[in-house]
Amino acid sequence: MKKILILSLLACAFVGTTEAKKRAGKATGEKEMSSQTEATDANDLAWKTGAIEAQDLAELLELKNMFVYKYDLSGVRDTTLQVMVQLDEYFGRDSLRTVRLVNMGKIYEYRNSTYAKALKFQLLPQSDSTMLLYCDLGERMMTSMLLKKRKAEPNHEFYASYQPKPFDTKELKVNQTVPVLLFGSSWYDARLSKRYGGWPVYRFCMENELPEDMRSESFDNMPHYWVIRVGLQERRE
């Protein structure tokens, strides 16, 4: 009897010890999981610097009303061609004048056996009323053109807001220029202005890219804009 009682007490002590170990193990595991969760949260909230990307720089330039567009010419390998840039100014859709037509240089330069890689356009403000357009064909040629803004409707007290917008041009053409970039003014929307109690409301074309054929209401509404055209012309030697 005494032997049975001792065995029973030993069994109870073993079970109690086992349960205590389980509870201790569970508490330790929960503590470890909690520590891991806290570590993960800490990592999520960690403050660290990131790499500056091209988009960040483009946004910085736009804050200063500066813009840059770059077009790839590396696929053009015809040694008989040269790059032409044409600047057209519009006062409404039907009033057009060609301001400049510039020969930017040869696709292939025999002197150093190199092909033109890219054509770049940069727009930089010179004053409240003027912008400079730089056309850059790398080592071939760089030229600038002055763009004079107009004052905004309806009271003409300040200069209109101008913005660039690319065209959806798919390819260049030989002996013909195609539109690649627009720099145009916003327009006064009298209807929306009336809706907002007479406060002047201005709009600009909403398309991400403008149609190459210029069949868009934006061209009917913009009172003043420039269109930059690029073409490839056969050299005459």
Side-chain angles (χ1 to χ4, degrees), residues 48 87 166:
K48 56 184 179 181
L87 178 65

Side-chain angles (χ1 to χ4, degrees), residues 71 165-170 180 205-212 216 218-219:
Y71 296 90
K165 185 78 70 169
F167 283 84
D168 64 354
T169 306
K170 301 298 187 295
V180 296
C205 44
M206 300 298 293
E207 301 94 331
N208 291 327
E209 292 183 319
L210 295 168
E212 184 179 348
S216 165
S218 297
F219 296 99

Side-chain angles (χ1 to χ4, degrees), residues 16-40:
T17 302
T18 303
E19 290 297 324
K21 287 182 178 179
K22 287 182 179 179
R23 287 194 295 271
K26 183 177 180 181
T28 301
E30 290 175 348
K31 185 175 182 180
E32 290 177 351
M33 291 179 62
S34 176
S35 299
Q36 291 175 357
T37 302
E38 290 174 359
T40 300

Side-chain angles (χ1 to χ4, degrees), residues 152 160-163 184-188 202-204 221-224:
S161 171
Y162 283 72
Q163 297 181 53
S185 68
S186 58
W187 62 85
Y188 170 66
Y202 297 89
R203 297 173 55 200
F204 188 65
N221 293 321
M222 279 185 291
H224 183 219

Side-chain angles (χ1 to χ4, degrees), residues 41-224:
D41 292 342
N43 289 333
D44 289 343
L45 299 177
W47 178 263
K48 56 184 179 181
T49 59
I52 301 299
E53 300 175 350
Q55 181 60 33
D56 301 317
L57 298 177
E59 291 172 358
L60 176 62
L61 290 175
E62 290 181 16
L63 286 175
K64 291 294 186 179
N65 202 28
M66 302 176 183
F67 307 91
V68 58
Y69 291 86
K70 188 175 182 179
Y71 296 90
D72 183 21
L73 294 177
S74 61
V76 184
R77 283 294 183 266
D78 191 328
T79 60
T80 68
L81 298 177
Q82 54 194 2
V83 180
M84 306 296 296
V85 172
Q86 179 176 322
L87 178 65
D88 291 338
E89 184 176 16
Y90 289 79
F91 297 92
R93 180 189 286 274
D94 299 323
S95 178
L96 160 68
R97 72 185 184 102
T98 296
V99 179
R100 290 279 299 277
L101 177 61
V102 182
N103 183 344
M104 295 295 297
K106 304 171 184 177
I107 285 291
Y108 182 76
E109 183 55 67
Y110 288 94
R111 290 176 298 177
N112 52 19
S113 302
T114 59
Y115 286 91
K117 296 179 180 179
L119 178 61
K120 185 163 53 179
F121 298 107
Q122 298 168 323
L123 288 157
L124 303 175
Q126 296 299 294
S127 67
D128 290 343
S129 62
T130 57
M131 293 283 289
L132 263 182
L133 167 66
Y134 287 96
C135 307
D136 185 1
L137 192 61
E139 297 179 354
R140 302 291 193 274
M141 182 180 178
M142 183 175 185
T143 187
S144 63
M145 307 175 189
L146 185 66
L147 310 182
K148 295 183 179 180
K149 301 179 182 179
R150 300 182 71 192
K151 291 193 173 181
E153 298 179 34
N155 51 27
H156 302 281
E157 291 181 0
F158 58 90
Y159 288 97
S161 171
Y162 283 72
Q163 297 181 53
K165 185 78 70 169
F167 283 84
D168 64 354
T169 306
K170 301 298 187 295
E171 63 180 5
L172 296 179
K173 297 180 180 179
V174 177
N175 297 328
Q176 182 181 343
T177 60
V178 294
V180 296
L181 185 63
L182 171 135
F183 187 65
S185 68
S186 58
W187 62 85
Y188 170 66
D189 192 319
R191 182 179 59 83
L192 282 179
S193 180
K194 184 177 181 180
R195 181 184 300 179
Y196 288 99
W199 187 265
V201 176
Y202 297 89
R203 297 173 55 200
F204 188 65
C205 44
M206 300 298 293
E207 301 94 331
N208 291 327
E209 292 183 319
L210 295 168
E212 184 179 348
D213 60 10
M214 298 175 63
R215 292 182 180 177
S216 165
E217 291 184 1
S218 297
F219 296 99
D220 296 322
N221 293 321
M222 279 185 291
H224 183 219

